[in-house]
Amino acid sequence: MLIVIPTLGQRVDYLRQTLESIRNQHVQADITVVTPVSATAARTLAHEFAAKVIDDPGSLPAAINQGVSEAGMQHRYVNWLGDDDLLTDQSLESTVGALRANPRAVVAYGSCRYIDPQGKELWVSKAGKWAGRILVWGPDLIPQPGMLIRREAWDLVGGVDESLSHAFDLDLLLKLKNQGEFTPVDHVVSCFRWHPESLTVSDRSKSLEESEAIKRRYLTTRQNKFKWLWEQPVRVATRIAAQRLNKRAYRRSAAKTSG
C-alpha cells in the first residue's frame, strides 16, 4: 500500500509525527513525500523514514496525483495524509483487512479523532455505514485521513480533480461510488489536527461552496430540483460543528496560556 504526504515543509515537527504514525503501523506501507525543492528539512526527514521524495508540482491535488503516479503500479491500496494528520494504531491493518474481506469494496474508512495543535482530543467524528449512502446530498461524514482506496478504482476515476481547491476528496468519493462499495471499520483510524492554518478550517465558506457545486454534478435532474431541501440545513449544521470545534480549541488554548 502507498501513503502520499504532500507538504510545503513548513511544519517539520508535525511531519515527523505523521511519518512516525505510518511507520508504527502493523502492516508495511510505502511513503511518498511531495515537497518543494527548497524544503530541505522536510526532504531530509523524509529520507530518514525511508520515504520516496518528489518535487512539488505546484498545487495540493496535483501533488497527490503525482505522488501516486510516480510510485509505480505495485500498490494495491492508496491514500494521502496531511503533513499534520496522523494514523492511529492498527489503522492500516483495519482498512486493508476490510478491503481484502470485501472484493466489491473500493473504499474502507473509519472514525476520525479531531485534535488540537498539541494533540489533545477535541471531538470524534464517528463515520458509520450511512456515511456513503448520504454522500451525494448530505454532509460528507467520511474522514479523508485514514480511509484507504483500492488502487484499481483510483486509476479508473483518474485520481483527484486538479481543477478543485478544497473539496477534491469529496469529488473523489462521489466518483468512486460508481466503482464499488464503501465499507466502514468500527473504530477510530485517524487524527485530523484542527488549527487556524488548516486549509479546511481557514477557508470554510469556500470549501462549503465548492462542496455544494460538486454534489450538484452527481444529482439526478429530479434531485437537483429539490436540492434546496437539504443544502441550507447541511450548510448550517457544518458551520455549527466547525464553530463548536473552534470554541473547544480556543478554550483549550486559553486554559493552557493562563495555566
Side-chain angles (χ1 to χ4, degrees):
M1 66 194 72
L2 170 69
I3 304 295
V4 175
I5 304 176
T7 177
L8 295 177
Q10 299 172 347
R11 302 183 286 210
V12 178
D13 290 342
Y14 286 159
L15 177 60
R16 177 178 289 278
Q17 294 177 42
T18 301
L19 289 162
E20 287 175 345
S21 78
I22 300 171
R23 284 290 176 244
N24 290 338
Q25 296 296 304
H26 296 274
V27 293
Q28 184 177 358
D30 290 337
I31 305 173
T32 293
V33 174
V34 187
T35 192
V37 175
S38 60
T40 54
R43 296 170 87 91
T44 299
L45 181 61
H47 288 306
E48 180 184 329
F49 282 84
K52 181 177 180 178
V53 178
I54 63 176
D55 298 341
D56 181 17
S59 76
L60 180 54
I64 295 166
N65 282 340
Q66 190 165 327
V68 173
S69 62
E70 290 199 17
M73 298 301 297
Q74 69 272 27
H75 304 103
R76 297 183 63 187
Y77 312 103
V78 299
N79 193 27
W80 72 94
L81 196 61
D83 65 356
D84 54 351
D85 299 331
L86 307 170
L87 296 182
T88 60
D89 187 45
Q90 297 185 338
S91 172
L92 292 179
E93 186 176 18
S94 300
T95 50
V96 75
L99 289 174
R100 287 173 176 168
N102 182 1
R104 298 184 301 277
V106 295
V107 176
Y109 64 93
S111 300
C112 179
R113 179 179 296 115
Y114 283 68
I115 58 176
D116 68 10
Q118 289 73 44
K120 302 297 184 181
E121 181 178 310
L122 295 171
W123 182 60
V124 174
S125 173
K126 298 180 179 180
K129 64 181 180 179
W130 293 100
R133 301 179 186 179
I134 67 172
L135 194 63
V136 72
W137 57 268
D140 180 3
L141 300 178
I142 299 179
Q144 180 277 314
M147 72 180 186
L148 199 62
I149 303 164
R150 200 177 294 277
R151 173 65 185 274
E152 182 181 7
W154 173 282
D155 289 340
L156 283 172
V157 302
V160 296
D161 186 339
E162 296 181 17
S163 70
L164 300 173
S165 301
H166 299 84
F168 46 82
D169 54 333
L170 170 62
D171 180 70
L172 175 65
L173 286 168
L174 289 169
K175 291 188 292 188
L176 288 168
K177 276 184 64 69
N178 294 324
Q179 302 299 322
E181 299 176 5
F182 290 6
T183 182
V185 297
D186 192 24
H187 57 271
V188 177
V189 296
S190 61
C191 297
F192 175 83
R193 200 178 300 269
W194 187 271
H195 54 81
E197 290 78 24
S198 294
L199 178 65
T200 310
V201 177
S202 60
D203 291 342
R204 175 63 59 184
S205 294
K206 293 180 181 178
S207 179
L208 281 170
E209 290 173 5
E210 190 170 88
S211 296
E212 289 174 357
I214 288 168
K215 289 178 181 180
R216 291 169 193 155
R217 299 179 187 175
Y218 298 90
L219 293 172
T220 65
T221 302
R222 180 176 175 80
Q223 288 172 332
N224 259 302
K225 292 180 180 179
F226 296 97
K227 62 181 181 293
W228 57 272
L229 288 171
W230 58 77
E231 281 190 347
Q232 183 63 22
V234 168
R235 190 182 305 135
V236 170
T238 302
R239 285 175 173 158
I240 289 174
Q243 289 169 358
R244 287 178 178 175
L245 278 171
N246 280 335
K247 287 180 180 178
R248 291 184 187 183
Y250 292 146
R251 283 199 300 266
R252 187 76 53 80
S253 177
K256 183 177 180 180
T257 302
S258 62

